[in-house]
Amino acid sequence: MCGIVGYIGNKKAAPIVLDGLKKLEYRGYDSCGIASCCTGIQIKKGVGKIEEVEKIHTLADIEGNLAIGHTRWATHGGVTDENAHPHSDCSGKICIVHNGIIENYESLKQDLTSKGHKFKSDTDTEIIAHLIEEYNKGDLKEAIFQALKKVEGAYALGIISSDEPDKLFAARKESPLIIGVGEGEGFIASDVPAIVNHTKKVMYLQNERVAVITKDDIEVFDLEGNKKKPIIREILWDAALIEKQGYDHFMLKEINEQPKAIEETINGRIKGDKVDLSEEIKLTDEEIKKISNIVIVACGTSWHAGLVGEFMLEELARVPVEVEYASEFRYRNPVLGKNSLIIAISQSGETADTLAAIKEAKAKGCRIISICNVMASSIARESDSVVLTHAGPEIGVASTKAFTSQLIVLYLITLYFGKIRGILDDFIVKCRIRDLRQLPLFMRAVLEDTEKIKDIAETYYNTSNSLYLGRGIEYPIALEGALKLKEISYIHAEGYPAAEMKHGPIALIDKNMPVVVVATQDNITYNKVLSNIEEVKARGGIIITVATKGDKVIASKSDTVIYIPKTSYILSPVLAVVPLQLLAYYIALKRGCNVDKPRNLAKSVTVE
Ligand code: AGP
C-alpha cells in the first residue's frame, strides 16, 4: 500500500531510488515520482506504472545525491499527476513521500489554509509538508517533531529539504519503514527488496520515531526529541530471491517454490519424532493445557489459512477455535477470557486490520501468537511470540507460497498443542509427521503435471462467472481458489460450502457455469459432494474436480479431473490448492492480465 524509497550518499540518488521503487511496485502502482535535492528540490512524477512514467519523465535523470521516491496506491484523492507523490510545501523547499493515512487531515488542512498555505493536491499527505513548513524556524528536525505531534493516523515518511541537503529524514507510525546502512550511504524503504541489493544491514524504525540519516550516521529520536539507540540487524535474504529467475512472473515462480518453502518451514521444528515449537511459542506446557479457546484473526488468503487451521486444531488438538476477519474483530467487542489465545496470521506482517485486531486482543489481556513471513514486521513485533513461515520473500500480489507455508505452521502448532494437551499420543504424532514429510515430494508431482490445468484454462478463460465448492477442510480451499481467480483474472468467482449450494447459488447454474469442486476421497462427506456434483450436472453446469489420484468414480461424474496424490485428509488442502493457483494463473495469462500486479490491489494493505 504505497512504497517509499530514499537515498543519501555519494552516488547519484535518483537511479538508486528508481530501482528500489521498481522492487516495491507490488505495494501500489497507480502513479509514482521522485524528488531529488541538488541546487534545490526537483520533482518528477506522473500517473501510471513506473515503466510508463519513466518513459515520459525520465525519472532517473534528476541530479543530486539525496532523493526520495514513491509508488502509489491511491487512498485520498484520485489517480492524477497532482496527487502523485512527492508533495512539497508552499516554498517548494520541503518535500515528502508518505505511506499511510492521515485521519485528521481535513481539520489540519482548514487550519493551514486559514494561515495562508496553498495546496496543490487532494491528498492527505500534502498537509504534512505544509505542517512542517508552518513549524519550521530553521531546525527541520524540531519542525518534524512538532508537526507529527499534530497528526493522527498512520505514516511512514521520507522527508528532504533544500535547506538541509545533507540529511534524509524518516519517520514512522504504524506503516512500515526500514533504514538501510551502507558504506558512506544510507537508505530508507517500505520493505527489504528495495535495498537488499545495496546493503543487508537494516534498522526497523519503531513507532513514533524520527530518524535523521546522513551518509555516515543515523540518529533516532522520539517525538519529544529524546535520542534512542538504533538497533541494526542483518537481513538473511539472498538478493536473488527477489528476481524472477527465468520465470515469466513472480506468481509462477512462487507457486513453484512451494515444495522448498514448506521444507524450510518444517526444518528445525521436528526433533526426533516430536514437534518442538517451545522456543518460538514461549508458552509453558501448563499454559498450553489451560488454553480455553483460540481466536484466529487474519485477512484474505491468510484468513483462509485460518479456516483450515480451525479444522486442524479442533480435529487434532480439541481446542475450540473461531476464525475472525481481523477487520471485523475489533468492532464487535469480542468475548475473550484470560485463557483465550489469539493467533494472528499475516504474510506481510503489516496488514493494518490484523495489527488493529492484535491491539484489541492485547488490550483485553490475551496472549498473541503470530504466524508471519516477515521477521521484525509490525505484527511480529506486536505479538508475544512469532512462528515464522520460511517461504522467502513473496512478491506476486496474489499470495501462494505464503499460504501453503501458513498451513504447515498451523499443522505444526496443532501437533504440538495436541501432544501437550494429551489428545495425541507419540505414535499418532509420529504418523502425522511422516505424512507431513511426504508433502514436498507430492507437491513437486503436482507441479510437474500442469498440462491438464493449461487445457482447462484454454477452454474456460472466456467465462464470466464460476463457482468453487468444497466441504470440511476443503471448503477454505474452494474460497482460496475463487479468490485467486478473481484477484488476477477478474472473473467473478464464488467459493461455497458444497452443501450450501442448494440454498441459493444453484440458481446460477447453467451450461455456461464452470463449477470447480475440491473433493478428495478420504472424508465422511465425500459421497454427499458427489450428490452435489449430480445436482450441478442435472442443470447443465460444467464440472471440474480436484480429486485424489485413482478416483474413477469422480472422473465418471466430471467434465475434467485434476488429480493430486493421496495424502491424509487433514493435509489435503496443502496439495489441493496448488492446481487452483495454477488454474487462476493460466486463465489470467490467457486473458492478458497483469498477473503480478492485478488492478486495484496491493501486496501489503497498511490502511484500515
Ligand atoms: C492474497 O492473494 C491477497 N492479496 C490478500 O487477500 C492478502 O492475503 C491479505 O491482504 C492479507 O495479507 P497479509 O497476509 O499480508 O496480512
Side-chain angles (χ1 to χ4, degrees):
M1 192 115 326
C2 301
I4 70 182
V5 185
Y7 173 83
I8 185 163
N10 296 321
K11 298 178 190 145
K12 186 171 168 181
I16 295 172
V17 169
L18 181 65
D19 184 56
L21 288 180
K22 286 180 182 163
K23 304 267 167 35
L24 291 188
E25 223 182 352
Y26 64 86
R27 298 180 66 87
Y29 30 81
D30 57 45
S31 52
C32 62
I34 292 182
S36 186
C37 183
C38 189
T39 45
I41 299 279
Q42 202 192 341
I43 301 176
K44 288 187 177 190
K45 60 183 183 175
V47 168
K49 299 204 169 67
I50 296 175
E51 209 179 59
E52 295 152 12
V53 179
E54 167 66 350
K55 273 188 203 141
I56 304 166
H57 297 286
T58 55
L59 297 173
D61 275 358
I62 331 179
E63 291 303 321
N65 308 119
L66 169 64
I68 49 177
H70 188 271
T71 177
R72 181 171 187 241
W73 186 86
T75 56
H76 292 60
V79 180
T80 64
D81 288 351
E82 293 72 30
N83 290 337
H85 297 216
H87 291 285
S88 54
D89 66 340
C90 297
S91 70
K93 287 181 173 181
I94 299 169
C95 193
I96 73 165
V97 286
H98 168 223
N99 170 31
I101 287 184
I102 306 304
E103 283 162 6
N104 59 338
Y105 85 101
E106 282 181 86
S107 61
L108 290 171
K109 192 168 181 175
Q110 261 177 21
D111 188 39
L112 287 161
T113 307
S114 71
K115 290 178 174 144
H117 289 263
K118 299 268 181 292
F119 289 84
K120 300 179 276 294
S121 77
D122 306 318
T123 62
D124 52 337
T125 300
E126 192 186 346
I127 63 110
I128 305 175
H130 292 272
L131 207 53
I132 296 171
E133 178 181 34
E134 184 63 26
Y135 286 113
N136 192 10
K137 304 283 177 269
D139 181 344
L140 197 67
K141 179 175 59 142
E142 279 303 323
I144 293 171
F145 295 151
Q146 298 307 319
L148 294 184
K149 279 190 225 166
K150 293 280 173 199
V151 159
E152 288 165 19
Y155 54 78
L157 294 166
I159 307 165
I160 56 175
S161 163
S162 53
D163 284 341
E164 303 194 31
D166 54 349
K167 289 180 192 139
L168 168 61
F169 295 87
R172 166 179 190 259
K173 184 181 169 201
E174 309 300 351
S175 301
L177 193 72
I178 57 166
I179 297 170
V181 186
E183 290 295 320
E185 56 189 5
F187 305 82
I188 59 167
S190 300
D191 200 357
V192 174
I195 59 171
V196 72
N197 279 335
H198 303 281
T199 179
K200 291 198 170 171
K201 285 191 189 148
V202 301
M203 185 198 141
Y204 291 84
L205 193 62
Q206 288 192 329
N207 255 343
E208 300 195 75
R209 297 278 193 269
V210 174
V212 183
I213 305 154
T214 62
K215 59 192 173 69
D216 303 308
D217 194 23
I218 301 173
E219 286 184 319
V220 179
F221 303 89
D222 64 18
L223 296 187
E224 301 307 323
N226 301 307
K227 225 170 163 177
K228 300 283 167 187
K229 192 172 178 304
I231 299 167
I232 314 284
R233 298 167 191 253
E234 189 88 22
I235 311 166
L236 302 172
W237 283 14
D238 181 348
L241 284 175
I242 54 164
E243 304 297 337
K244 287 193 200 139
Q245 294 174 334
Y247 285 96
D248 290 339
H249 296 96
F250 280 111
M251 183 180 177
L252 187 60
K253 174 182 171 241
E254 287 157 6
I255 290 172
N256 278 283
E257 282 172 345
Q258 290 180 105
K260 178 94 172 34
I262 62 178
E263 272 163 0
E264 295 286 332
T265 302
I266 298 168
N267 269 350
R269 287 168 169 157
I270 295 175
K271 314 241 162 82
D273 289 327
K274 293 191 173 56
V275 175
D276 185 0
L277 296 174
S278 52
E279 281 173 22
E280 293 162 278
I281 284 190
K282 296 183 195 137
L283 286 174
T284 62
D285 287 5
E286 271 325 294
E287 286 170 323
I288 292 171
K289 282 180 193 154
K290 273 194 198 149
I291 295 169
S292 56
N293 64 316
I294 295 177
V295 181
I296 298 180
V297 290
C299 302
T301 288
S302 297
W303 184 76
H304 297 157
L307 292 177
V308 177
E310 173 183 31
F311 200 97
M312 290 174 171
L313 282 156
E314 292 200 335
E315 180 78 12
L316 297 183
R318 306 303 297 149
V319 198
V321 181
E322 281 170 84
V323 187
E324 296 270 353
Y325 281 119
S327 51
E328 291 296 318
F329 177 77
R330 66 187 291 221
Y331 294 109
R332 61 166 200 85
N333 197 12
V335 180
L336 299 165
K338 66 175 180 352
N339 293 321
S340 302
L341 175 73
I342 305 296
I343 300 183
I345 310 177
S346 173
Q347 181 283 130
S348 61
E350 300 296 345
T351 301
D353 288 319
T354 311
L355 199 53
I358 288 178
K359 288 182 178 164
E360 174 74 21
K362 259 186 140 174
K364 288 188 149 58
C366 293
R367 199 182 162 89
I368 323 283
I369 297 178
S370 60
I371 300 175
C372 288
N373 198 38
V374 183
M375 183 185 70
S377 57
S378 304
I379 288 174
R381 280 182 283 145
E382 274 296 324
S383 307
D384 298 296
S385 47
V386 190
V387 188
L388 287 173
T389 46
H390 295 299
E394 191 181 67
I395 310 290
V397 166
S399 185
T400 53
K401 62 176 180 171
F403 176 70
T404 41
S405 303
Q406 288 164 349
L407 299 187
I408 299 301
V409 168
L410 286 160
Y411 186 76
L412 291 170
I413 293 177
T414 299
L415 297 186
Y416 183 60
F417 281 6
K419 175 73 188 32
I420 292 172
R421 290 168 70 93
I423 309 294
L424 303 176
D425 62 24
D426 284 340
F427 178 71
I428 299 284
V429 172
K430 190 176 166 180
C431 296
R432 296 279 175 189
I433 289 174
R434 186 202 55 209
D435 296 343
L436 181 65
R437 288 203 189 277
Q438 287 174 327
L439 274 187
L441 188 72
F442 288 168
M443 200 184 256
R444 285 190 177 99
V446 177
L447 290 165
E448 274 161 21
D449 186 16
T450 57
E451 284 316 305
K452 177 60 108 9
I453 300 167
K454 286 181 191 161
D455 286 350
I456 302 172
E458 184 75 39
T459 313
Y460 298 111
Y461 75 93
N462 257 332
T463 191
S464 1
N465 293 293
S466 58
L467 202 57
Y468 283 66
L469 304 177
R471 287 196 78 161
I473 205 165
E474 288 161 344
Y475 160 55
I477 298 308
L479 291 177
E480 177 59 9
L483 179 67
K484 287 285 91 83
L485 189 71
K486 343 182 215 224
E487 276 190 303
I488 61 168
S489 76
Y490 319 137
I491 294 175
H492 173 235
E494 284 206 50
Y496 249 88
E500 273 294 302
M501 180 186 65
K502 58 185 176 293
H503 297 290
I506 198 163
L508 297 167
I509 310 278
D510 64 13
K511 64 179 177 17
N512 300 316
M513 176 70 113
V515 179
V516 179
V517 184
V518 186
T520 54
Q521 249 171 341
D522 188 15
N523 100 53
I524 44 167
T525 52
Y526 172 77
N527 282 326
K528 297 194 190 300
V529 178
L530 291 184
S531 307
N532 299 138
I533 291 177
E534 296 288 4
E535 288 156 15
V536 174
K537 283 199 82 64
R539 285 152 187 88
I542 305 150
I543 297 285
I544 301 163
T545 44
V546 176
T548 304
K549 211 168 200 151
D551 183 350
K552 296 214 169 66
V553 178
I554 212 153
S556 67
K557 295 175 189 295
S558 311
D559 293 278
T560 314
V561 190
I562 306 166
Y563 285 121
I564 57 169
K566 183 161 178 55
T567 179
S568 74
Y569 177 58
I570 209 117
L571 283 173
S572 63
V574 185
L575 297 181
V577 75
V578 177
L580 302 187
Q581 297 167 341
L582 285 164
L583 185 62
Y585 173 79
Y586 287 115
I587 287 180
L589 209 61
K590 280 292 298 172
R591 290 167 71 92
C593 301
N594 189 335
V595 176
D596 283 336
K597 292 172 199 155
R599 72 181 177 211
N600 303 340
L601 296 177
K603 182 72 186 161
S604 118
V605 185
T606 54
V607 292
E608 276 191 66

